[in-house]
Amino acid sequence: LQAFFEFQTQVARLAGLATRVQAELNATPGLINVTNGAPIGQPQLRVDIDQQRAAQHGVSAASIALAVRTAFAGVIATKYQLPDGTLQDVRLQLNSEVRGDIARLGDLPVQTVTGQLIPLRQVATVNESRGPTQINHNDRHRVVTVSANLESGQSLGGVQADVDRIIAE
């Protein structure tokens, strides 16, 4: 989970930097049609674990992750034999109404090391956020492309110094 949060932080920082560069380029005379390739992102839920409270209750990050994954992706509980003899998976998961209600997700039961079930809200908070839809790489580094066109009659040399300054900042 720590790696996931570091990843989210890096993606958010990269998107923020790209937005700043885009704003600066938009304000640069000689440039038009500035675009930002930072992913807009899809709605997602972020589960922030209170490490101290989780430890007090004997709940591991792994058990929280398992509970959340099972609630959303489901778990195959058994197989059902159809009249034609084929087997179909029976998947258990939270119904869509509960999955879509962030306030009710705090009621999700999480298992402690002693086998007790406690509500997720006792050890974590659930927040809505936006996550990347696509992440581009160049030489194994995450990259975002911010591009612009030159205004009619403008030369690249006329704006290059401004662009270099903006990127350096």
Side-chain angles (χ1 to χ4, degrees):
L1 285 176
Q2 181 65 29
F4 172 76
F5 292 126
E6 288 174 12
F7 167 78
Q8 289 295 88
T9 302
Q10 290 172 357
V11 170
R13 183 168 182 256
L14 186 59
L17 290 171
T19 300
R20 284 179 42 204
V21 168
Q22 180 184 20
E24 291 287 330
L25 292 179
N26 271 325
T28 302
L31 295 178
I32 58 172
N33 302 328
V34 180
T35 61
N36 180 349
I40 294 172
Q42 293 291 329
Q44 67 180 16
L45 294 177
R46 179 176 167 156
V47 178
D48 294 315
I49 301 170
D50 182 326
Q51 297 292 337
Q52 186 175 17
R53 287 191 351 221
Q56 288 172 349
H57 288 286
V59 177
S60 69
S63 66
I64 293 171
L66 178 64
V68 172
R69 186 181 75 222
T70 300
F72 282 86
V75 63
I76 297 173
T78 189
K79 297 206 180 272
Y80 174 75
Q81 186 171 358
L82 298 172
D84 67 359
T86 60
L87 296 177
Q88 182 174 348
D89 292 338
V90 175
R91 182 176 299 273
L92 296 178
Q93 69 185 109
L94 282 177
N95 67 40
S96 58
E97 183 180 301
V98 175
R99 288 192 318 256
D101 185 354
I102 192 170
R104 292 177 63 188
L105 289 176
D107 295 331
L108 184 68
V110 177
Q111 190 169 15
T112 67
V113 291
T114 61
Q116 283 185 298
L117 295 176
I118 63 169
L120 178 62
R121 75 170 45 85
Q122 286 188 7
V123 293
T125 56
V126 181
N127 299 299
E128 289 182 90
S129 65
R130 299 193 74 70
T133 55
Q134 176 181 336
I135 300 167
N136 297 316
H137 293 85
N138 183 11
D139 291 333
R140 299 177 67 176
H141 295 282
R142 293 180 189 96
V143 296
V144 171
T145 302
V146 178
S147 62
N149 293 325
L150 292 171
E151 203 167 35
S152 181
Q154 186 65 251
S155 70
L156 181 58
V159 296
Q160 188 67 52
D162 289 332
V163 171
D164 290 343
R165 176 188 51 78
I166 289 166
I167 292 175
E169 289 173 0

